[in-house]
Amino acid sequence: GTAVHPLLPQFRGVDLAAIQVEGELFKGMRTFVMNGNATHSKVDIETMLVENGAEVEQAASCNTDLVIVGAKTIRVANLAKQGTHDILNVDWVLRSLEAGQLQPISPNFVVCLTEAHRAELEDRMDQWGDSYTETATDTTLREVVAYMKSVPEKVSQVLEDSEPMDMAEFEEKLFQNEKPYWHMFGGYSIYLDMYDPITEPYGDGGSGDGSVLACSASASLGSASLGGSEDNSLSKGTNTVEECNREGTQGRLLEDSPLVMLIPVIRFYGGNVVSTLDTSVTHVIMDPGDLSRYETIRRHCKSIFKTFPHRAVHLCSSDWISHCTLSRHLRDERPFYI
């Protein structure tokens, strides 16, 4: 007679007669489980589906609602190329069972979607699975980050293809010229009066070549940058005030200046902290308890304005920063002028 070759265990279907339906989570859903993985075999996955009301098929047909896979194999890839079926990994089944309700389809579950369902997915969330309408939770954010870590090639490609974003233009469109409190210092270049001597490239006197080699503030702050633009002059070079002074850099970081602690605050709210008092500076912040460099800074700011009339510099006390952050509102600088 004809020899019978039994299917390998990984390709065998579940014995439906031995399974008792216990729930209706997947009721009415026609599924085809192509394979399992190291944790859950094909039979294990089919059993979970049938126990919760699903119909299990042993081949993908035009009536199949969903294909479930535990591993991406050549068979899976071939079916995905056809684009005729929605193919999800087994994590979707497990997550739905854990939550007690069907989970929204997101990129971290997707192996392949039909064209119509992919368009629907793109309307609901971005390519990383971050919903446009649902409130983000700790769990959903962790899932998005985990998915991004699992597809580093895709992340790299997106970064390569992306054009640099003009944050000022973005904020203008989004907030109609009213800055959000969490980015209230965005677009500002702020010089903190914590160097002696200061830089005076346009001053009448001063130190000559107008360049400052600023020390890193990392010795006082640890990791000072919490956001905003990075200023390389504050993160390169020497690491301690003592080393900075010993090397004889032009702008000596004042060891006990309380303004050092404003660096992470300004950066957190979107500002750029600079160590050179040049024409890019929009604000100079001084410690009310130490105005010894006031006349030099004032003369310098006047020189900038004389040369570049459109570059007026606000010369404020550190109280301006404190009042802005405490009120979560960008305050008028004038009451805080030195």
Side-chain angles (χ1 to χ4, degrees):
T2 304
V4 177
H5 300 284
L7 289 172
L8 295 173
Q10 61 266 35
F11 299 121
R12 294 176 189 169
V14 67
D15 182 3
L16 299 178
I19 300 177
Q20 182 177 353
V21 177
E22 300 175 354
E24 298 183 347
L25 183 60
F26 304 115
K27 184 177 181 180
M29 189 178 295
R30 295 181 294 270
T31 63
F32 167 46
V33 180
M34 291 193 73
N35 57 41
N37 56 26
T39 307
H40 298 88
S41 68
K42 172 179 165 66
V43 170
D44 291 337
I45 301 170
E46 290 178 333
T47 301
M48 288 186 285
L49 290 169
V50 174
E51 285 177 341
N52 288 275
E55 298 178 27
V56 172
E57 304 172 345
Q58 295 306 316
S61 68
C62 59
N63 295 320
T64 302
D65 296 315
L66 192 63
V67 177
I68 303 296
V69 302
K72 295 180 182 179
T73 62
I74 295 178
R75 288 182 66 223
V76 173
N78 288 338
L79 182 60
K81 285 180 180 179
Q82 298 177 25
T84 55
H85 293 83
D86 295 326
I87 306 176
L88 303 183
N89 65 51
V90 69
D91 289 341
W92 178 80
V93 175
L94 300 175
R95 192 67 56 79
S96 296
L97 290 172
E98 181 182 346
Q101 60 182 359
L102 297 180
Q103 295 300 286
I105 304 302
S106 59
N108 56 313
F109 297 131
V110 171
V111 176
C112 175
L113 290 178
T114 60
E115 185 174 342
H117 287 167
R118 179 165 294 281
E120 179 184 337
L121 177 65
E122 292 173 351
D123 287 339
R124 290 192 296 108
M125 58 184 59
D126 65 18
Q127 59 189 314
W128 313 115
D130 189 13
S131 174
Y132 296 131
T133 57
E134 298 295 327
T135 301
T137 65
D138 180 71
T139 299
T140 59
L141 290 176
R142 289 179 184 277
E143 289 176 351
V144 169
V145 173
Y147 174 64
M148 294 179 71
K149 288 182 178 179
S150 71
V151 287
E153 299 84 2
K154 182 178 180 181
V155 174
S156 298
Q157 188 60 49
V158 169
L159 292 176
E160 290 178 5
D161 296 341
S162 300
E163 295 182 0
M165 179 180 292
D166 186 330
M167 288 302 299
E169 181 180 348
F170 173 75
E171 286 183 1
E172 183 177 350
K173 291 180 179 179
L174 189 60
F175 300 103
Q176 299 180 351
N177 296 320
E178 183 177 348
K179 293 183 178 180
Y181 80 88
W182 39 264
H183 204 255
M184 68 176 77
F185 299 138
Y188 292 161
S189 290
I190 300 176
Y191 175 85
L192 300 174
D193 176 34
M194 57 184 187
Y195 300 98
D196 187 20
I198 67 167
T199 306
E200 287 193 282
Y202 296 100
D204 299 326
S207 51
D209 66 359
S211 63
V212 163
L213 301 176
C215 319
S216 168
S218 60
S220 301
L221 298 175
S223 179
S225 178
L226 301 180
S229 302
E230 283 293 337
D231 175 28
N232 291 335
S233 62
L234 288 176
S235 59
K236 294 181 179 179
T238 53
N239 294 321
T240 67
V241 173
E242 290 76 11
E243 289 177 357
C244 180
N245 295 338
R246 185 170 62 249
E247 292 185 8
T249 56
Q250 184 179 355
R252 183 176 63 88
L253 181 64
L254 300 177
E255 186 172 2
D256 299 323
S257 175
L259 299 181
V260 171
M261 302 309 298
L262 294 182
I263 295 175
V265 176
I266 293 170
R267 286 178 171 168
F268 181 79
Y269 287 101
N272 182 34
V273 179
V274 298
S275 60
T276 303
L277 191 51
D278 57 23
T279 57
S280 70
V281 172
T282 58
H283 294 74
V284 174
I285 304 300
M286 299 190 70
D287 173 17
D290 178 14
L291 300 178
S292 59
R293 289 163 299 283
Y294 170 74
E295 288 299 331
T296 303
I297 290 177
R298 181 170 173 271
R299 183 175 67 251
H300 181 90
C301 293
K302 281 188 173 182
S303 298
I304 293 178
F305 182 72
K306 185 182 299 184
T307 308
F308 301 96
H310 63 289
R311 295 297 299 174
V313 180
H314 298 283
L315 182 53
C316 305
S317 77
S318 56
D319 292 337
W320 178 67
I321 300 291
S322 302
H323 279 71
C324 288
T325 55
L326 287 174
S327 65
R328 292 190 171 187
H329 178 72
L330 192 61
R331 306 290 294 271
D332 184 4
E333 294 94 342
R334 287 172 292 184
F336 301 95
Y337 281 167
I338 298 293

